[in-house]
Amino acid sequence: MPRDSPVPGARVVLALGTVFGLASLVRTAVVTPGEVALNFRVYYGAAEAFLAGGPLYGQSPVGTDWLVYLYPPLTVLAFVPFTLLPLAAAYVVFTALSVAGGLALAGVLIRAVERHGQSLGRVDRLLVAGFVVCGIYTVPSLVFGQVNLLLALAVAVGFVALASGRDRLAGSALGLAAFVKVFPAGFGLWLVRRRSWHAVGAAVATGGGLLAAGLVLGPAVTVAYVTEALLPRTARGAFTGGLGPNATFLTVRRPLSLLFPGSSVARTVGAVALLAPVVAVGCWRVDTTRRRLVATFTIVAGVLLALPSYPIYYVVLAYPLVPLLYLFEGPGRRLFTVGAALAMATVYLNDVRAGLTALGLPAPMHDALLSVLTPLLTVGTVPLYGFALCLAGCLRYQVAGGRDDPSATRGRRASDER
């Protein structure tokens, strides 16, 4: 029978994510307004270059070396219609489409929660929508004019379709996401774990077919994509010498960069060695709804944390993060919820220093706190520690054999959630 009682932990996490997102939006408007439409200007410029017969890859359409077009050739056709409008108007239209995609994603998440027995009232629905559209991992995509919110919708549709037995739709949606951004190809581990070979085939056919279709724009363009955009798509240089405490990367390669400051191979092998066992245990049992959600989260978070990821990519975690906040019951729930709350706090060492200075603490206390927080926030960020706790909660659930029946765990919550 559906439950309609509030889930305080879920509300706290969603509210925190929304508040930090709105604070990020205000900060951008006041401090760095030049970041508005940063990526969209690249998409728009690439479409203009394509129409003019110019190169898509190897040079910046906006005259900034690191702002280059990185997507497969066929994707540029999606941005061509925007060139019918002035840049500012095109950005507004693109942002409106992204927000519409975000609201559709919120609908997918709400239905996923309610389909599994947790009825959501108006407050929770608003929190889910606010978190998806205005959350800390969404706002930068909207500000920059990035495609990540639409990508998150495709990923969520793929996972939900797989859960409801629509394997070909699942594979097609995930294949589309992987075609655009590449890294969602790692989420195919879930298709393999479920032994959904129809979904695997659909994913490969979709991604490969769209890449092959790009050949109609000329084989040379596809070769340029592979050699000038796909293969160099790495942040190895940023990790050389060890990441600084205010670098925004959200990945286990942060602490590994301090251990192996000169070896990208060691960092890559180390990331796989750390996370592969976590993913394996997180996917150990998949015979119930909650275990499947836990396994999905473990795979998505594991892939993101293994790569040299920016926080902006973590919007694709909306599913299964939001459903788990409402549906996670039993061993590991508290770890998961506390970790998710910490993951919303995108606070870096400079922010902590500014906060301590503003508090006007006595010098000995100020220095003592910094002596503890500086190494902690150099080795990892608050969100990195948060997602580590989330994964720990997932492993606790799988190892303890958490049940799928809420009534079976509710009576033991006091002991099980420790």
Side-chain angles (χ1 to χ4, degrees):
M1 184 175 182
R3 295 174 295 143
D4 57 5
S5 55
V7 181
R11 290 182 170 184
V12 169
V13 172
L14 297 178
L16 276 175
T18 304
V19 168
F20 272 95
L22 293 173
S24 171
L25 183 61
V26 172
R27 181 186 180 279
T28 300
V30 174
V31 180
T32 55
E35 292 181 351
V36 175
L38 195 62
N39 290 108
F40 184 76
R41 292 201 297 269
V42 175
Y43 308 154
Y44 189 91
E48 288 185 320
F50 169 74
L51 292 174
L56 275 180
Y57 306 105
Q59 63 183 39
S60 172
V62 294
T64 304
D65 289 344
W66 57 274
L67 283 174
V68 295
Y69 195 70
L70 295 173
Y71 302 147
L74 202 64
T75 58
V76 75
L77 298 180
F79 299 107
V80 166
F82 291 101
T83 62
L84 298 173
L85 299 170
L87 175 61
Y91 169 69
V92 170
V93 171
F94 181 79
T95 302
L97 290 173
S98 295
V99 170
L103 293 175
L105 173 57
V108 170
L109 299 176
I110 290 168
R111 286 192 295 273
V113 171
E114 295 193 325
R115 187 166 56 248
H116 296 304
Q118 176 68 56
S119 179
L120 299 183
R122 179 178 298 178
V123 170
D124 291 283
R125 288 168 177 262
L126 288 174
L127 282 171
V128 171
F131 175 78
V132 170
V133 176
C134 305
I136 186 58
Y137 295 110
T138 302
V139 163
S141 287
L142 294 177
V143 168
F144 298 152
Q146 262 273 10
V147 299
N148 292 314
L149 192 51
L150 298 173
L151 191 79
L153 174 60
V155 170
V157 167
F159 285 138
V160 170
L162 187 69
S164 59
R166 294 172 291 172
D167 291 11
R168 288 184 175 83
L169 173 59
S172 298
L174 291 173
L176 176 62
F179 165 69
V180 176
K181 283 279 192 174
V182 182
F183 74 83
F187 305 162
L189 288 171
W190 181 228
L191 306 182
V192 174
R193 176 62 183 89
R194 293 295 306 276
R195 297 181 176 87
S196 178
W197 308 122
H198 289 302
V200 171
V204 172
T206 299
L210 288 170
L211 187 61
L215 293 171
V216 302
L217 303 181
V221 181
T222 298
V223 171
Y225 162 67
V226 174
T227 59
E228 298 182 43
L230 182 59
L231 295 180
R233 186 185 289 186
T234 176
R236 287 181 298 179
F239 291 81
T240 301
L243 278 182
N246 294 298
T248 58
F249 289 96
L250 180 45
T251 168
V252 297
R253 298 191 190 208
R254 171 184 287 276
L256 291 172
S257 74
L258 303 176
L259 287 174
F260 309 107
S263 174
S264 62
V265 173
R267 293 192 292 269
T268 300
V269 172
V272 173
L274 284 172
L275 290 164
V278 174
V279 172
V281 175
C283 297
W284 180 17
R285 296 182 172 100
V286 295
D287 56 324
T288 68
T289 296
R290 286 187 180 83
R291 287 173 185 166
R292 287 191 287 273
L293 282 171
V294 163
T296 307
F297 180 90
T298 306
I299 285 176
V300 178
V303 168
L304 289 170
L305 289 171
L307 296 172
S309 304
Y310 289 103
I312 198 170
Y313 299 147
Y314 280 73
V315 66
V316 301
L317 258 179
Y319 184 98
L321 174 62
V322 172
L324 269 177
L325 287 172
Y326 285 99
L327 299 172
F328 203 137
E329 293 247 357
R333 178 173 180 249
R334 184 173 297 171
L335 276 173
F336 185 87
T337 304
V338 171
L342 285 176
M344 299 303 115
T346 50
V347 176
Y348 300 94
L349 185 58
N350 277 348
D351 303 313
V352 171
R353 284 173 172 159
L356 291 178
T357 300
L359 288 174
L361 298 174
M365 183 181 297
H366 176 277
D367 294 342
L369 286 172
L370 275 183
S371 69
V372 173
L373 293 173
T374 296
L376 279 176
L377 294 178
T378 300
V379 172
T381 61
V382 177
L384 179 58
Y385 293 127
F387 281 120
L389 285 179
C390 287
L391 288 174
C394 290
L395 298 192
R396 169 94 170 92
Y397 184 84
Q398 289 284 37
V399 171
R403 295 185 179 182
D404 203 47
D405 178 10
S407 63
T409 58
R410 193 175 295 121
R412 299 176 301 152
R413 184 173 297 172
S415 59
D416 281 345
E417 290 181 1
R418 286 199 298 269

